Amino acid sequence: MIRWEEGSRTHCALEVARPPIRRQDPLLELGDRLARLPRVAWQLTTQPHASITTLADLAAVGVLVNEAAHQSLQATARANGTGLVELGLHAEADAVTHRGNAWRAAHQQLRALRSPCPAVGGVRLDLLRVQDLLQTITSLEAPTGRTPALLLEASSSGEDIAVWESLTLLRLDTTGEVLALGSSIPVDSIRDNPDLIDAKIHNKITQAPEASVEPLRREHVDAGTNPDPFLEIMCTAI
């Protein structure tokens, strides 16, 4: 079970596109909710402010989707009385495991950070609903043929989300909006920095040092692909 925490409460305007959801079928609803998350991740790159908590919510979806995708592949193999290698699904299983591990590490690191913006409520609602839908779908003894295909597509689309998240994080770091609790700051990063030492001792919120941000960038690279340098320049210029 993944835990989520509320972000800090300051005014940050963000309108998120929310197309209608087809609720008559769990797979249709899951597909609709997952399809709009890459658009949200892209939209965050265009905003002057964004929420670390929302980035954590998107990362949590990545964890859930890749876990479910792997479970679905294994269930497909069991239903066919064979293994992933024999079905030619070994490479896909390795890919979703790799992405899932990267998203899990990113989620854990993002939860240790803060930002002035609160979470986007619509993303949080999608996250909670996606968790419920995945539990329903993956609990089936014999998943339909649509299930593995949908989950593999969602796993792959998470690569785009990782790129947009990385760009948003870069911009927030550039503008000093990535914050950290003193207790979460690596000890090696506070040497000869009185502000960080004080934050560490008294567990204050302070601007996150590079040592708290750089590992996240590596996890986003593992979950997706390297961002275009031109896009990096554009996002940090917003």
Side-chain angles (χ1 to χ4, degrees), residues 111-133:
R111 287 189 63 248
L113 299 175
R114 302 290 187 271
S115 67
C117 276
V120 178
V123 175
R124 177 63 58 85
L125 291 175
D126 278 342
L127 166 58
L128 296 175
R129 186 59 184 151
V130 163
Q131 184 177 37
D132 290 341
L133 289 166

Side-chain angles (χ1 to χ4, degrees), residues 3 5 52-53 56 105-115 178-186 203-206 208-209 212 216:
R3 296 171 51 236
E5 295 178 356
I52 287 290
T53 307
H107 179 253
Q108 291 173 345
Q109 292 165 33
L110 283 164
R111 287 189 63 248
L113 299 175
R114 302 290 187 271
S115 67
V178 180
L179 310 176
L181 280 172
S183 59
S184 70
I185 299 173
N203 199 27
K204 295 180 180 178
I205 292 181
T206 186
S212 297
L216 259 174

